[in-house]
Amino acid sequence: MKSYLAAAIQMTSLPDLRHNLSQAEELIDLAVRRGVELVGLPENFAFLGNESAKIQQAAEIAAESEKFLKTVAQRYQIVILGGGFPAPVKDGKVYNTALLIGADGKELARYEKVHLFDVELPDGNIYQESTMIVAGEKKAPVYASEQFGNLGLSVCYDVRFPELYRAMTQSGANVLFVPAAFTAFTGKDHWQVLLQARAIENTSYVIAPAQTGQHNSRRQSHGHAMIVDPWGVVLADAGTEPGMAIATIEPRRLEQVRRQMPSLNHRVF
């Protein structure tokens, strides 16, 4: 594992596939110009704001998302995570799929989100992902990269389930992806503290791309894409506008924290 720059991209995706992919490439281009080699795009990067339209267009969104990720990975010679797009399964439902692509344009890892956001929030918004999304049945993957570390994949609501991240850490993960479209209501109280908790308890880097702003009249995301170090220090925060959080992933820092706080070696259960 080497020292390298990573970017957690922050977008305001809309129910417009072409617009969103264009916005994503602009931000990727800016990141690469700053020396970034590992890029994460948020959940629903390709389409957000109209769930029924997303399901109706799922086949096109999935095909175009995969094509886009493979194309930009090769064009910019980066490793890229597409943090979540709908991939058709059956009976009009989809997987919420995160896809990791190498600089040669080949698929490195794929993850179907296992925890579905079925929640009625105090602000009156109701989310029922299970009406349209099928929960994944495979454990979150860890892709071992000689250059970038052992990359663990998750999506948004997963961040509330620490056992998923501990399982990845036990499989060797030391860089954890948490791409999200966190709601504005829950994000203000829970987003940062959950990311810091996952980083601290697993003594791992956390790269958290995010959605931000207004996607339609009812859907608003919290923003604050972040990169957090293994001690829980927020290295970069993208705020509330489209952009990115960029920070150095440093193997010496990882080794230092795991040496000074060897909690992973003290597990009892």
Side-chain angles (χ1 to χ4, degrees):
M1 181 180 179
K2 66 175 186 177
S3 176
Y4 63 91
L5 278 179
I9 298 294
Q10 182 155 288
M11 300 176 62
T12 302
S13 294
L14 302 173
D16 184 334
L17 175 62
R18 305 301 169 191
H19 167 84
N20 297 331
L21 296 184
S22 177
Q23 178 189 184
E25 183 162 6
E26 287 180 9
L27 292 169
I28 291 165
D29 183 76
L30 288 173
V32 171
R33 289 175 186 273
R34 293 177 60 180
V36 166
E37 297 180 76
L38 178 68
V39 174
L41 294 174
E43 183 184 29
N44 295 320
F45 68 92
F47 198 97
L48 182 58
N50 185 321
E51 291 303 299
S52 60
K54 182 172 75 174
I55 299 304
Q56 290 170 4
Q57 299 174 44
E60 180 187 7
I61 295 170
E64 290 299 319
S65 295
E66 287 202 32
K67 178 182 177 182
F68 171 80
L69 293 170
K70 292 174 180 179
T71 298
V72 296
Q74 288 182 296
R75 178 177 298 153
Y76 294 102
Q77 288 296 288
I78 54 173
V79 172
I80 187 166
L81 177 78
F85 58 86
V89 187
K90 58 181 178 180
D91 301 326
K93 291 191 174 185
V94 301
Y95 283 131
N96 188 345
T97 303
L99 191 61
L100 185 69
I101 301 295
D104 59 0
K106 294 182 179 179
E107 180 177 325
L108 302 178
R110 179 182 294 257
Y111 168 64
E112 283 109 17
K113 184 180 177 184
V114 299
H115 297 106
L116 302 185
F117 192 53
D118 288 355
V119 177
E120 184 173 345
L121 297 178
D123 65 355
N125 280 312
I126 299 173
Y127 300 86
Q128 291 290 328
E129 284 191 334
S130 63
T131 62
M132 297 182 178
I133 298 173
V134 176
E137 297 180 350
K138 297 179 181 179
K139 67 179 184 179
V142 176
Y143 177 75
S145 166
E146 291 185 5
Q147 289 184 304
F148 301 113
N150 299 329
L151 309 174
L153 275 57
S154 68
V155 177
C156 199
Y157 190 47
D158 284 335
V159 77
R160 295 182 182 274
F161 300 88
E163 63 274 15
L164 181 146
Y165 298 89
R166 180 48 51 87
M168 287 195 288
T169 304
Q170 289 177 318
S171 295
N174 48 31
V175 179
L176 304 170
F177 274 111
V178 189
F182 232 71
T183 70
F185 185 86
T186 58
K188 61 184 173 59
D189 296 322
H190 296 166
W191 172 243
Q192 180 172 327
V193 70
L194 284 168
L195 296 177
Q196 289 178 297
R198 300 296 83 84
I200 293 167
E201 68 198 8
N202 295 294
T203 51
S204 295
Y205 281 96
V206 170
I207 300 173
Q211 292 284 351
T212 192
Q214 205 78 35
H215 309 288
N216 63 14
S217 61
R218 292 186 59 83
R219 185 74 182 263
Q220 184 178 2
S221 293
H222 174 64
H224 294 281
M226 288 185 186
I227 298 179
V228 184
D229 89 347
W231 192 256
V233 176
V234 176
L235 300 178
D237 181 337
T240 58
E241 297 298 321
M244 66 197 75
I246 293 179
T248 301
I249 307 300
E250 177 55 71
R252 286 179 297 180
R253 176 60 170 163
L254 186 65
E255 293 165 4
Q256 177 192 43
V257 171
R258 291 191 169 187
R259 183 176 65 252
Q260 294 175 340
M261 184 57 68
S263 55
L264 294 175
N265 297 328
H266 299 157
R267 297 189 309 272
V268 176
F269 301 107

